[in-house]
Amino acid sequence: MHDLPSAEQYRKAPYELKHAIAPKHKKLLLRHYEFPAHTATATDLAAAVGYPNYNTINLQDGQFGLRLAERMNWEIQAGAQAAFVIASFVEPDEDNPHWRWLMHPELAEALQALDWVKKPGASM
């Protein structure tokens, strides 16, 4: 398991997100947030944002992960994917033949703090 950014780094994430995010990355994050338990496959995410396939999601989340990690002053550990700053990954199994991406709760909270998404139980 790789270490995540600290709680303090994630608390600063709303500010960093505002300055690190391109419109296509924001759309991707918002669609990821909307999935049940903020969990989706790269194929699900590609369909949700209109990308041709999961490879585009891997590229986009990797690029955004690098930018966000840099803004958060978080060093990506050797062997870790840049997208790990966004989500944890669950290997395929009998029930799901695809990798599942679980958005970190701290990142979901940062999106809520920005009022970019509806907070659970809140009406908009």
Side-chain angles (χ1 to χ4, degrees):
M1 175 62 95
H2 298 284
D3 291 329
L4 289 172
S6 69
E8 178 64 21
Q9 287 168 307
Y10 272 117
R11 273 194 292 279
K12 293 178 181 175
Y15 172 81
E16 302 304 349
L17 279 169
K18 282 184 176 181
H19 296 89
I21 197 161
K24 61 186 172 190
H25 296 149
K26 181 178 178 180
K27 181 178 180 182
L28 180 56
L29 275 181
L30 299 182
R31 295 303 162 266
H32 192 166
Y33 180 93
E34 292 170 352
F35 279 90
H38 316 304
T39 302
T41 67
T43 301
D44 293 335
L45 291 169
V49 297
Y51 287 151
N53 56 49
Y54 70 89
N55 288 321
T56 308
I57 296 299
N58 291 340
L59 174 67
Q60 294 299 324
D61 261 8
Q63 289 175 346
F64 177 62
L66 284 172
R67 190 173 299 113
L68 182 58
E70 182 179 288
R71 295 283 314 195
M72 291 172 66
N73 199 27
W74 179 63
E75 185 176 335
I76 298 171
Q77 295 179 349
Q81 296 182 20
F84 188 70
V85 71
I86 299 165
S88 295
F89 304 96
V90 177
E91 291 186 54
D93 57 27
E94 292 177 5
D95 297 327
N96 191 332
H98 301 281
W99 283 86
R100 286 168 287 178
W101 299 32
L102 288 69
M103 180 181 284
H104 296 305
E106 298 88 350
L107 182 56
E109 289 173 15
L111 297 176
Q112 294 167 8
L114 287 166
D115 289 328
W116 285 358
V117 296
K118 180 179 172 184
K119 295 176 180 82
S123 60
M124 287 187 118

